[in-house]
């Protein structure tokens, strides 16, 4: 994998509303956050509190009604269509349900986001490397239905890494998994951060997952109700000591 450094993410006054019948529901309500490069941030909060919507806004999968998302020097909320498409390809997104294509092999699922781009042979080589990195070497020709939930989640993570993202957004990456498998997926994400410095924002319901992140942001009714630094004042970019400590 290419060495990368993580993105800085800023949201300012971010608002997203949905119309439900005649009512307006504010799913994300005035969220302003600055996320340091190379940090792993857990978004927590009850079901319906806006975690997925916030990730979708940061990943430009949904548009904001008010406020801005800025990633490094780019104001994502001001981009036009072509630039938005390029931005989406550079950000890794792991969806709440894996969103694998059932008729495609594991390898083709990982390569899928790259198909519009040139260099298919290179893409397949990179996809193999990534599948190896997530512990799925040898399963390239399997279909998603032949894999366990944890293995499917690894495929989804490998796919999200195809564009060598500096920012990885993961919606409940351990949500459908037993706690041991979930812990392995989190190990994998933390290891990716340690080795490549990428910034990771993940949504989770699980206390044990949030506790291993650098920062916990709790949402309630679309607002930030708690924002806690879990690093003990360490620079999140300085990951080596932290990596060994986390594995204790
Ligand atoms: N496309 C949509 N249309 C209408 N309402 C929506 C839509 N997407 C989300 N919502 C509403 O916005 C609120 C926030 O939803 P969101 O999916 O962000 O919550 P969440 O914190 O991710 O919940 P969960 O933990 O269950 O995944 C909810 O009340 C939800 O019903
Ligand atoms: Mg959600």
């Amino acid at each position: 994998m290419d060495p990368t450094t993580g993105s800085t993410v800023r949201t300012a006054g971010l608002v997203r509303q949905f119309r439900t019948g005649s009512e307006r529901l504010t799913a994300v309500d005035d969220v302003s956050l600055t996320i340091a490069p190379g940090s792993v941030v857990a978004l927590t909060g009850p079901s319906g509190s806006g975690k997925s919507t916030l990730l979708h806004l940061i990943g430009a999968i949904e548009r904001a009604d008010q406020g801005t998302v800025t990633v490094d020097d780019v104001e994502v909320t001001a981009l036009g269509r072509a630039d938005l498409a390029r931005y989406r390809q550079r950000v890794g997104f792991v969806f709440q349900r894996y969103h694998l294509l059932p008729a495609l092999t594991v390898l083709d699922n990982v390569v899928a986001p790259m198909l519009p781009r040139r260099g298919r042979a290179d893409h397949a080589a990179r996809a193999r490397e990534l599948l190896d990195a997530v512990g799925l070497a040898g399963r390239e020709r399997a279909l998603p239905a032949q894999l366990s939930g944890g293995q499917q989640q690894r495929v989804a993570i490998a796919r999200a890494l195809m564009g060598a993202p500096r920012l990885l957004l993961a919606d409940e990456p351990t949500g459908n998994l037993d706690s041991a498998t979930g812990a392995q997926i989190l190990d994998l994400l933390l290891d990716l951060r340690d080795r490549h410095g990428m910034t990771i924002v993940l949504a989770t319901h699980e206390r044990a997952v949030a506790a291993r992140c650098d920062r916990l942001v709790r949402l309630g009714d679309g607002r930030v109700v708690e924002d806690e630094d879990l690093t003990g004042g360490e620079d999140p970019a300085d990951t080596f000591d932290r990596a060994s400590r986390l594995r204790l």
Side-chain angles (χ1 to χ4, degrees):
M1 271 182 279
D2 317 316
T4 55
T5 52
S7 293
T8 302
V9 179
R10 286 196 185 80
T11 73
L14 205 56
V15 174
R16 174 66 168 145
Q17 295 183 317
F18 293 109
R19 250 187 296 277
T20 50
S22 57
E23 302 270 294
R24 247 171 210 269
L25 184 145
T26 305
V28 168
D29 190 358
D30 193 19
V31 169
S32 299
L33 289 170
T34 298
I35 295 172
S39 60
V40 180
V41 177
L43 296 178
T44 65
S47 183
S49 58
K51 304 181 293 295
S52 294
T53 306
L54 180 54
L55 287 176
H56 293 168
L57 293 174
I58 296 171
I61 292 166
E62 286 178 30
R63 59 162 188 80
D65 291 306
Q66 283 174 46
T68 56
V69 173
T70 308
V71 175
D72 298 319
D73 297 329
V74 176
E75 191 190 322
V76 176
T77 32
L79 294 178
R81 263 172 85 131
D83 288 332
L84 263 185
R86 268 192 289 278
Y87 169 75
R88 286 193 201 101
Q89 281 197 313
R90 289 208 323 271
V91 174
F93 205 105
V94 180
F95 289 91
Q96 190 156 2
R97 286 167 208 81
Y98 321 123
H99 281 272
L100 298 179
L101 298 164
L104 294 188
T105 64
V106 162
L107 185 72
D108 287 342
N109 263 286
V110 175
V111 175
M114 312 302 284
L115 283 183
R117 300 197 210 166
R118 280 175 294 168
R120 286 187 69 154
D122 291 350
H123 293 158
R126 177 168 172 77
R128 283 202 177 81
E129 251 176 62
L130 289 168
L131 286 166
D132 189 27
V134 301
L136 283 177
R139 304 306 303 271
E140 293 86 354
R141 302 177 68 170
L143 293 171
Q146 297 168 324
L147 301 180
S148 69
Q151 289 169 333
Q152 291 183 53
Q153 189 61 292
R154 286 165 200 271
V155 176
I157 291 169
R159 179 182 55 188
L161 296 173
M162 268 305 276
R166 301 175 62 209
L167 172 61
L168 183 69
L169 305 171
D171 199 351
E172 305 273 0
T174 64
N176 302 314
L177 308 176
D178 63 76
S179 60
T181 311
Q184 284 173 13
I185 295 290
L186 190 64
D187 287 342
L188 171 66
L189 294 176
L190 291 171
D191 187 54
L192 286 165
R193 186 279 300 274
D194 293 347
R195 283 191 293 150
H196 304 287
M198 70 181 73
T199 305
I200 301 178
V201 186
L202 58 88
T204 183
H205 277 104
E206 289 162 81
R207 205 176 263 274
V209 169
R212 292 182 61 196
C213 296
D214 298 320
R215 178 175 172 190
L216 187 156
V217 173
R218 191 183 308 282
L219 298 179
D221 292 332
R223 290 181 162 263
V224 175
V225 294
E226 189 184 338
D227 188 348
E228 193 184 348
D229 178 6
L230 305 176
T231 62
E234 257 176 71
D235 180 353
D238 178 20
T239 55
F240 293 103
D241 288 352
R242 182 164 170 72
S244 44
R245 188 156 63 82
L246 279 172
R247 292 201 185 86
L248 286 176

